[in-house]
Amino acid sequence: MSSDELIWRIAGGSGDGIDSTSQNFAKALMRSGLDVFTHRHYPSRIRGGHTYVEIRAADHDVQSRGDGYNFLLSLGDSFARNPQEEAYYGNEEIKPLSENLDELREGGIIVYDEGLISEEDVEAIDLEARAEENDWHVFPMDLRGLAREHGREVMRNTAGVGVTAALLDMDLEHIEDLMSDAMGGDVLEANLEILHEAYDTINTEYEFEHDLRAPEGSHETEQALLSGSNAIAYGAIDAGCRFIAGYPMTPWTDVFTILAQNFPDMGGVSEQVEDEIAAAALALGASHAGAKAMSGSSGGGFALMSEPLGLAEMTETPLVLVESMRAGPSTGMPTKPEQGDLEFVLYTSQGDSSRVVFAPSNIEEAYEQTRLAFEIAWDYQLPAIVIYDQKLSGENKNVDVEFFDREPQPDLGSTLTEDELAEAAHDASGKFKRFNHEGAENNVVPRSLPGQKGGRYLATGNEHSPVGHISEDPDNRVAQMTRRIEKLENIREELDEEHESNQTYYGDDTAEYGIITWGSSHGAVNEAVERLNDDGHAVKGISVSDMMPFPEAEVTEFLESVDEAMVVEMNATAQFRGLIQKELGRFGEKMTSLLKYNGNPFEPAEVVEGYEVNLADEDREPTAQVRIEPAAGD
Amino acid sequence: MSAFNAIGEEREIDRDEFTPGVEPQPTWCPGCGDFGVLKSLKQALPEVGKTPEEVLTVTGIGCSGKLSSYLDTYGFHTIHGRSLPVARAAKLANTDLEVIAAGGDGDGYGIGGNHFIHTARENHDMTYIVFNNEIFGLTKGQTSPTSPKGHKSKTQPSGSAKTPLRPLSLSLTAGASYVARTAAVNPNQAKEIIAEAIEHDGFAHVDFLTQCPTWNKDARQYVPYIDIQESEDYDHDITDRREAAEMMHETEDVLNEGTVLTGRYYVDEDRPSYQEEKAAVGELPDQPLAERYFDEDAEWERSYDLLERHT
Ligand SMILES: Cc1ncc(C[n+]2csc(CCOP(=O)(O)OP(=O)(O)O)c2C)c(N)n1
Ligand code: SF4
């Protein structure tokens, strides 16, 4: 087995500290010079229930989880031993071992906690036979006992990390540093003791002949380990957003929490309110009064925001909303990703949509496009939505620290100062012509803010005249409506001309087979395309980020250049493919879909398989939990 | 120099400044009580020294929601039931603005009921005027949350089986620090109460009885009202929560029987407004947030400075 990549999985009960342990270990790997990518799997329960985190580390860029993994640290579910819980959920103690074996690669390593997983349980799952068959190297260790001896039982995670480091022949230096950053005093002392004893035990008492080692790498610049939620929150901070209102809903809560925790020190205002209608209405009200404001939710909460969203469009009030998708319909699967809200986010609210929708596909884009969403929303006076999913929200990846070294942009865009207002158009009564459709550059009319001298007007969700009076005059209606809608064309032009493409291209540029994807599925597709090309197939990929206004020219060019294309997305009804067909009005016969909606994100191998099945033109189904949807007319 | 010079401007203010030019003329029916609210606001605002441009009037949808069109301040005519969250945030974003929210009983007590409870609970510094005509006006006369039991309408043809909501008791219980009821048929008292409500630091809820001659001809808004402060039967201490609650209860009982009492029901000058409470815990900046965007010396933190915890 080569050691060009390590995929380490830590499994246990949720609430057992799996998250923080893995976060630290990922950082240690990053500090040792590797690129890392984390994937979280957890049930919708507060405590107990089987959970795992996977860290993929390599000496090259990693954009996705791998296919399977090669190191399992199985801690056992300590909460499953609570008899009351057991009545509800059955005995899940063994799950962190039994549930994870299917995806463990040949030659992989298993460390399990003898203190939490009994010998009979291990026998019951036939571990020995399976290990032999798959050439697994199994290390039963009493991690709990070791932790107890030196400190407290919960520190068994530290013991697990020590064992891991020894088996992979890693230095403890980075791990020790991180520990001393995070804790002090007796707790630190105890943890360090446990770490070292676990490490030494392996080195002195065990013999091992596996050749899996931590890969070696180095970074030229300093790296930071960040989640998608972090990136979105930081993009908002740098865009000058200082007002956030929200109501908790997984997975959006992370963004909300990060901003709520940082705003007090930044002179920002954060409000947790009674529901999502209020949350979006607050963001709108704050924006109307002159703050850069945002709100957000997941699908169910976003449904409630449809009213204020439409009001923002009609009153041309800038606003940023983020929507973190989880599997639906309704409450769906709260902790599982899906890309099922695309159509909903594009068209939520009555009337024709005049909004911008960006779908970032990785951590860097999440930051970049959140900033861009604020810029466009304030320049063009409309709502901008950033749509992403539970996967991107929770995954962590290393990013160049320098990437974030930029100037903040607290610019209110098309908002006038009082001096500028004095020069602006007013009607005979002295009212400011806030919605003056005549001579509006890029269809945008600069606005005033309440409290400014000479800027008085009425904002209303009814159709209105240039000064904001309610109006049902047909000519005015057409002029105002057209102006609002045509802003999207101006935005498209600006995006095409002044910004680097939000779309990402990869693979063999000359290939006649294309894979199209959007949002967080990008990582798996990117890697699949790379693999296919390495294996001698000619394939290219595009990951589209602009959902509205749609990048017609770019996608048209891509589709014209291929004979066949496969659209990869995590939903059951091919929503993105539908959007392409709607926007471009053709290519229906060129596109098949690869769909996955079982709650788990794509793995690269599934995309490769989709390609094979699709190209082989055989009448067979892919073996994984994905579905092929044929081209229109097939 | 402030970026919002209309705020705090000291000058003689004429009430005509609050009347839009030729357009738009109110489309309310002749004899509608909504004219009364408009008039008392136009009288009260100059009296408390507010200029049209420092006032933001945020309204919901309904006949009453049109108020922001006919009162010439900065205005935001929002959507049905949502005036309060919009208004609240405008105040948080620019704490110097004078924010007045308004709407109907359907708008405020029905569809917007949740926002009403929470805005009162948090005691946001603003005035909230509910045009209470005990009916849905704009949608042509359906039963509202304050319609009396037995009230017949096209949607409750056999007479409503529901006990009407008690808005005063509700806002008091939720936490409003100023609660009053007045009526369009008593312009003098209405003007005084509106002026007080605007000057009050905290959530001032005014249940404003308005008549709807078009759809609710037998509403008790027409019967002679009694000013509660002048009535010997209701000699309560309006700064005492319990006594105020009792008074509200009694008057809301008799209201349901047809006797209309108006006046101040609860005035708490001591309870800090939400803005003050939020500032006290360090979650509201001293400088109004909106000002800061115009302040060239303002420092803006960057995410780069937060990266330490990620490296
Ligand atoms: C979400 C939504 N539901 C329903 C309506 C229709 N609607 C408009 S005004 C109104 C009720 C008006 O009654 P009230 O709030 O008491 O105000 P009034 O017209 O009596 O002043 C309704 C139901 C709407 N505009 N929006
Ligand atoms: S319908 Fe009633 S509330 Fe509406 S304007 Fe006419 S009288 Fe007033």
Side-chain angles (χ1 to χ4, degrees):
Chain A
M1 185 191 312
S2 88
S3 298
D4 64 342
E5 68 173 10
L6 165 71
I7 305 181
W8 183 77
R9 186 183 282 193
I10 178 172
S14 68
D16 272 345
I18 302 285
D19 232 22
S20 53
T21 307
S22 60
Q23 187 82 6
N24 257 340
F25 190 56
K27 251 192 209 175
L29 290 164
M30 175 182 83
R31 284 186 178 186
S32 80
L34 298 170
D35 280 11
V36 295
F37 182 95
T38 74
H39 163 73
R40 260 166 74 180
H41 169 104
Y42 61 106
S44 185
R45 271 171 65 180
I46 307 304
R47 300 181 92 194
H50 170 235
T51 172
Y52 67 75
V53 178
E54 226 169 65
I55 302 171
R56 187 174 185 198
D59 64 355
H60 54 266
D61 183 34
V62 278
Q63 293 276 353
S64 112
R65 65 184 295 205
D67 306 308
Y69 66 104
N70 52 22
F71 193 119
L72 173 64
L73 173 61
S74 169
L75 291 171
D77 184 350
S78 62
F79 291 112
R81 286 170 295 136
N82 174 343
Q84 258 173 344
E85 291 256 309
E86 208 172 301
Y88 284 112
Y89 303 111
N91 185 351
E92 296 187 339
E93 233 170 281
I94 187 70
K95 276 195 173 176
L97 183 59
S98 61
E99 293 281 298
N100 290 295
L101 296 177
D102 286 348
E103 291 172 310
L104 183 63
R105 293 183 189 166
E106 230 180 74
I109 298 174
I110 299 174
V111 176
Y112 71 86
D113 193 340
E114 278 182 318
L116 286 164
I117 300 174
S118 70
E119 223 166 287
E120 301 89 78
D121 282 337
V122 175
E123 271 165 30
I125 58 167
D126 248 356
L127 184 64
E128 209 174 323
R130 292 187 67 177
E132 193 143 334
E133 198 179 314
N134 291 294
D135 187 28
W136 291 334
H137 307 264
V138 186
F139 298 86
M141 306 269 306
D142 185 12
L143 303 172
R144 180 170 67 148
L146 201 156
R148 251 193 207 150
E149 215 175 282
H150 295 270
R152 285 183 304 133
E153 194 174 310
V154 289
M155 297 177 184
R156 63 182 174 277
N157 296 2
T158 302
V161 170
V163 168
T164 301
L167 288 170
L168 294 173
D169 199 16
M170 288 171 66
D171 248 351
L172 288 181
E173 172 200 3
H174 298 299
I175 298 165
E176 287 168 347
D177 280 356
L178 283 161
M179 280 182 170
S180 35
D181 282 354
M183 47 188 125
D186 291 349
V187 181
L188 175 63
E189 203 87 335
N191 270 293
L192 287 175
E193 267 175 42
I194 292 167
L195 183 73
H196 283 279
E197 181 158 342
Y199 190 86
D200 295 341
T201 309
I202 287 286
N203 278 331
T204 53
E205 292 174 24
Y206 287 76
E207 294 224 347
F208 49 98
E209 75 268 19
H210 61 265
D211 42 16
L212 180 67
R213 295 286 176 273
E216 280 174 20
S218 66
H219 292 124
E220 280 169 20
T221 53
E222 201 188 356
Q223 302 290 304
L225 184 67
L226 243 74
S227 72
S229 298
N230 266 126
I232 285 173
Y234 290 177
I237 287 172
D238 290 352
C241 170
R242 289 295 182 276
F243 188 99
I244 187 163
Y247 188 84
M249 185 167 185
T250 306
W252 131 264
T253 315
D254 289 346
V255 172
F256 184 26
T257 310
I258 295 164
L259 289 176
Q261 290 180 349
N262 282 298
F263 273 0
D265 293 335
M266 299 184 164
V269 179
S270 127
E271 280 283 289
Q272 183 186 321
V273 294
E274 58 270 25
D275 57 35
E276 286 87 351
I277 310 176
L282 260 96
L284 180 71
S287 168
H288 179 74
K292 277 187 135 172
M294 84 184 242
S295 183
S297 191
S298 182
F302 191 80
L304 294 185
M305 297 183 165
S306 102
E307 290 185 14
L309 178 63
L311 183 60
E313 292 181 342
M314 190 48 131
T315 57
E316 301 181 62
T317 309
L319 179 67
V320 170
L321 296 177
V322 301
E323 213 264 67
S324 186
M325 296 176 282
R326 60 193 217 188
S330 195
T331 308
M333 295 199 279
T335 64
K336 301 289 175 216
E338 199 166 273
Q339 297 176 296
D341 298 349
L342 176 62
E343 288 176 344
F344 179 56
V345 160
L346 289 171
Y347 314 118
T348 324
S349 189
Q350 62 273 35
D352 297 305
S353 301
S354 52
R355 69 191 64 168
V356 171
V357 180
F358 290 137
S361 67
N362 62 18
I363 311 282
E364 287 94 334
E365 285 185 14
Y367 172 86
E368 202 83 69
Q369 286 165 24
T370 303
R371 263 188 92 129
L372 187 58
F374 275 94
E375 190 185 323
I376 301 273
W378 262 261
D379 282 353
Y380 287 89
Q381 306 177 356
L382 38 65
I385 301 167
V386 179
I387 180 175
Y388 59 113
D389 61 29
Q390 185 270 352
K391 169 174 159 16
L392 178 55
S393 141
E395 71 195 19
N396 282 267
K397 195 176 105 51
N398 62 301
V399 182
D400 242 344
V401 165
E402 275 170 24
F403 175 80
F404 297 94
D405 188 7
R406 332 183 184 195
E407 285 313 301
Q409 210 172 5
D411 172 11
L412 289 185
S414 55
T415 307
L416 299 174
T417 61
E418 288 188 345
D419 288 345
E420 290 165 336
L421 256 179
E423 305 289 314
H426 288 71
D427 79 349
S429 71
K431 262 199 173 175
F432 170 52
K433 288 195 177 175
R434 161 72 179 100
F435 305 101
N436 192 11
H437 45 75
E438 278 161 28
E441 195 185 333
N442 282 338
N443 290 303
V444 179
V445 193
R447 62 178 191 145
S448 62
L449 300 174
Q452 281 182 318
K453 231 178 150 69
R456 207 153 83 247
Y457 77 98
L458 176 74
T460 168
N462 285 65
E463 188 56 273
H464 44 267
S465 71
V467 283
H469 293 152
I470 295 173
S471 163
E472 296 191 347
D473 173 74
D475 291 338
N476 177 72
R477 161 68 178 178
V478 172
Q480 298 288 7
M481 192 66 205
T482 311
R483 189 175 58 73
R484 286 191 297 265
I485 294 296
E486 286 187 351
K487 280 185 200 173
L488 291 182
E489 288 167 29
N490 301 108
I491 294 169
R492 188 66 257 161
E493 268 167 43
E494 182 182 323
L495 289 172
D496 287 342
E497 284 163 20
E498 286 173 36
H499 294 268
E500 254 180 61
S501 170
N502 277 340
Q503 284 55 253
T504 317
Y505 297 87
Y506 34 90
D508 173 1
D509 193 34
T510 62
E512 283 162 4
Y513 190 92
I515 302 189
I516 307 181
T517 192
W518 69 283
S520 76
S521 298
H522 156 88
V525 171
N526 187 349
E527 183 159 338
V529 169
E530 221 168 83
R531 250 189 244 178
L532 284 166
N533 283 306
D534 286 349
D535 290 348
H537 304 268
V539 181
K540 64 179 168 186
I542 180 174
S543 164
V544 182
S545 277
D546 302 352
M547 301 290 121
M548 187 183 279
F550 196 75
E552 279 183 33
E554 283 185 73
V555 180
T556 301
E557 196 183 324
F558 184 87
L559 277 163
E560 276 177 346
S561 74
V562 295
D563 295 336
E564 229 184 295
M566 180 170 76
V567 187
V568 180
E569 54 185 321
M570 268 192 283
N571 61 55
T573 53
Q575 296 187 21
F576 182 56
R577 178 173 129 190
L579 177 67
I580 301 175
Q581 276 174 239
K582 171 181 177 290
E583 291 287 340
L584 305 183
R586 58 199 176 112
F587 299 119
E589 75 299 338
K590 259 191 193 181
M591 291 184 285
T592 47
S593 285
L594 180 68
L595 305 170
K596 185 172 184 183
Y597 44 95
N598 69 354
N600 294 316
F602 278 104
E603 290 170 24
E606 289 168 334
V607 180
V608 170
E609 190 184 32
Y611 165 85
E612 284 163 355
V613 169
N614 193 31
L615 253 204
D617 244 358
E618 291 164 11
D619 204 11
R620 74 168 166 111
E621 285 295 311
T623 49
Q625 289 199 32
V626 293
R627 199 180 86 203
I628 292 269
E629 189 73 13
D634 268 19
Chain B
M1 208 181 75
S2 167
F4 298 92
N5 281 311
I7 296 175
E9 199 184 357
E10 303 245 352
R11 60 176 175 83
E12 195 69 22
I13 301 149
D14 191 299
R15 79 172 66 148
D16 285 346
E17 287 184 46
F18 292 92
T19 306
V22 206
E23 235 200 327
Q25 294 303 318
T27 53
W28 290 321
C29 309
C32 174
D34 294 5
F35 286 105
V37 186
L38 180 61
K39 188 168 162 214
S40 43
L41 267 164
K42 282 187 193 171
Q43 290 174 328
L45 283 163
E47 195 163 289
V48 298
K50 296 297 171 191
T51 63
E53 288 173 323
E54 70 184 308
V55 176
L56 175 63
T57 309
V58 186
T59 55
I61 298 295
C63 298
S64 46
K66 301 274 177 66
L67 178 80
S68 51
S69 309
Y70 310 143
L71 181 75
D72 201 359
T73 60
Y74 270 100
F76 203 154
H77 179 226
T78 64
I79 37 180
H80 198 36
R82 315 298 169 206
S83 64
L84 285 174
V86 172
R88 243 150 81 181
K91 181 76 182 179
L92 286 167
N94 190 346
T95 37
D96 289 343
L97 285 175
E98 189 59 53
V99 177
I100 298 172
D105 42 276
D107 186 88
Y109 304 149
I111 190 166
N114 196 23
H115 309 309
F116 175 57
I117 294 171
H118 289 278
T119 312
R121 165 191 157 220
E122 291 165 13
N123 198 32
H124 286 265
D125 183 15
M126 63 170 67
T127 304
Y128 183 42
I129 303 169
V130 181
F131 296 56
N132 187 356
N133 55 13
E134 300 184 353
I135 195 108
F136 281 17
L138 193 71
T139 45
K140 305 200 164 129
Q142 299 82 4
T143 313
S144 99
T146 48
S147 300
K149 197 166 180 171
H151 178 265
K152 287 189 180 169
S153 72
K154 284 183 196 156
T155 50
Q156 256 112 334
S158 319
S160 167
K162 301 179 190 188
T163 305
L165 191 94
R166 294 164 176 261
L168 304 182
S169 304
L170 184 59
S171 66
L172 176 86
T173 308
S177 52
Y178 183 97
V179 183
R181 167 176 276 151
T182 189
V185 290
N186 180 24
N188 291 334
Q189 186 206 47
K191 183 197 76 181
E192 277 172 34
I193 284 188
I194 298 283
E196 268 178 30
I198 292 170
E199 291 198 304
H200 178 77
D201 294 330
F203 188 64
H205 169 217
V206 180
D207 186 64
F208 204 122
L209 300 173
T210 55
Q211 65 277 14
C212 173
T214 307
W215 304 111
N216 204 9
K217 285 196 176 35
D218 23 271
R220 48 211 165 207
Q221 275 83 336
Y222 297 103
V223 304
Y225 69 91
I226 304 162
D227 187 324
I228 195 150
Q229 269 73 41
E230 286 168 11
S231 159
E232 286 174 10
D233 296 344
Y234 298 95
D235 180 24
H236 291 71
D237 177 1
I238 59 165
T239 64
D240 183 291
R241 245 182 128 67
R242 281 170 200 281
E243 286 197 35
E246 194 177 319
M247 178 161 79
M248 285 174 193
H249 212 75
E250 287 173 21
T251 62
E252 281 173 328
D253 276 345
V254 294
L255 177 70
N256 295 335
E257 286 152 19
T259 311
V260 178
L261 287 110
T262 60
R264 295 127 183 105
Y265 284 78
Y266 180 60
V267 181
D268 179 355
E269 300 288 358
D270 297 331
R271 181 175 179 199
S273 71
Y274 181 63
Q275 282 67 21
E276 287 167 315
E277 307 252 33
K278 203 167 166 68
V281 299
E283 290 196 350
L284 195 68
D286 297 338
Q287 182 187 29
L289 186 53
E291 279 276 4
R292 184 147 163 239
Y293 289 92
F294 294 90
D295 180 354
E296 286 177 6
D297 301 325
E299 282 194 23
W300 293 87
E301 285 82 355
R302 330 189 274 159
S303 66
Y304 189 70
D305 306 323
L306 303 173
L307 284 184
E308 212 173 305
R309 67 184 84 143
H310 301 283
T311 55

